[in-house]
Amino acid sequence: DIQMTQSPSSLSASVGDRVTITCRASQGSPNSLTWYQQKPGKAPKVLLYATSRLESGVPSRFSGSGSGTDYTLTISSLQPEDFATYYCQQYYSTRFTFGPGTKVEIK
Amino acid sequence: EVQLVQSGAEMKKPGDSLKISCKGSGYTFTTYWIGWVRQMPGKGLEWMGVIYPGDSDTRYSPSFQGQVTISADKSTTYLQWSSLKASDTAMYYCARRSSGDYFEYWGQGTLVTVSS
């Protein structure tokens, strides 16, 4: 099975900072890579799909890139509402796998 | 508007059986895959399996194969345990798979607590 790792596992940042989160697949090349945001007590919400496509309604400060086994989520200017946990998710060979998550906290 | 509405919180004892539900509305339910995702307290998201309600084609994560049963009818999908363990304590989400390979719409979650 493909395993997903994310780095860092947590980070502290200030409003206005540029934040980058990395997701790596253990092998192969996922069919697609998706990023979710989850706030405490809430269901996850899609931010980006197909590596870099912004879900409708998601602010343009979120962007995604990558290929092969390495993918990146970037928040260009962190806003107060962006403090949350972020998960990557891949789909490969009929299976879905989530990364372990990156918690973004206020500095 | 697409909505997935899950059944309410459950408190059970080890060894009990349980079936929780997820009802879809606002779209043709039988034409989209629905997945189940576990989130243990303070932990990350784990994919459990998906079902296509149109023909009940079901795929399980190897980690959950044999541990749970996913089923569906024309408007609702179900997640079932025959014998709960304390380690099944978690929030369980259903989510509709998009036409691509991600979960586009999510239910509100069902909290399952298993304790003696």
Side-chain angles (χ1 to χ4, degrees):
Chain A
D1 279 356
I2 291 183
Q3 305 298 318
M4 307 297 288
T5 57
Q6 286 182 234
S7 60
S9 56
S10 66
L11 64 92
S12 294
S14 300
V15 172
D17 283 354
R18 182 181 181 88
V19 169
T20 299
I21 298 169
T22 297
C23 176
R24 174 168 288 174
S26 62
Q27 62 178 319
S29 182
N31 296 100
S32 82
L33 199 286
T34 303
W35 290 96
Y36 301 86
Q37 177 193 66
Q38 187 180 32
K39 296 183 178 179
K42 299 292 187 183
K45 169 190 165 185
V46 177
L47 297 175
L48 296 134
Y49 63 96
T51 303
S52 59
R53 295 192 173 194
L54 211 58
E55 180 74 348
S56 176
V58 173
S60 59
R61 62 180 179 273
F62 292 93
S63 63
S65 64
S67 64
T69 58
D70 296 310
Y71 298 84
T72 299
L73 169 69
T74 299
I75 309 172
S76 60
S77 177
L78 199 65
Q79 298 302 300
E81 60 268 30
D82 301 336
F83 292 96
T85 300
Y86 294 84
Y87 296 93
C88 60
Q89 172 249 306
Q90 66 84 28
Y91 175 78
Y92 185 79
S93 190
T94 76
R95 294 176 182 173
F96 298 84
T97 308
F98 290 94
T102 295
K103 187 173 184 178
V104 177
E105 298 176 302
I106 302 171
K107 183 183 278 186
Chain B
E1 179 195 6
V2 174
Q3 282 195 309
L4 297 172
V5 179
Q6 298 185 229
S7 49
E10 300 275 2
M11 188 162 288
K12 293 289 188 181
K13 295 188 184 313
D16 285 352
S17 62
L18 177 64
K19 192 174 190 177
I20 62 175
S21 66
C22 167
K23 184 174 177 62
S25 62
Y27 72 102
T28 304
F29 184 77
T30 53
T31 60
Y32 285 86
W33 292 82
I34 296 278
W36 285 94
V37 175
R38 182 175 81 175
Q39 188 166 38
M40 299 176 77
K43 301 299 184 183
L45 305 171
E46 300 173 270
W47 173 65
M48 302 176 74
V50 287
I51 187 165
Y52 188 76
D55 61 8
S56 292
D57 185 5
T58 308
R59 316 285 170 86
Y60 291 95
S61 161
S63 299
F64 292 93
Q65 179 85 48
Q67 308 303 308
V68 296
T69 301
I70 296 172
S71 60
D73 58 30
K74 287 187 168 34
S75 65
T76 304
T77 182
Y78 304 94
L79 180 65
Q80 184 173 2
W81 295 260
S82 58
S83 181
L84 286 160
K85 304 184 282 289
S87 57
D88 293 316
T89 294
M91 181 71 81
Y92 293 89
Y93 292 101
C94 65
R96 194 191 86 169
R97 180 182 174 180
S98 68
S99 54
D101 299 325
Y102 63 98
F103 296 108
E104 188 176 17
Y105 295 97
W106 292 68
Q108 83 277 18
T110 295
L111 180 62
V112 174
T113 304
V114 184
S115 175
S116 55

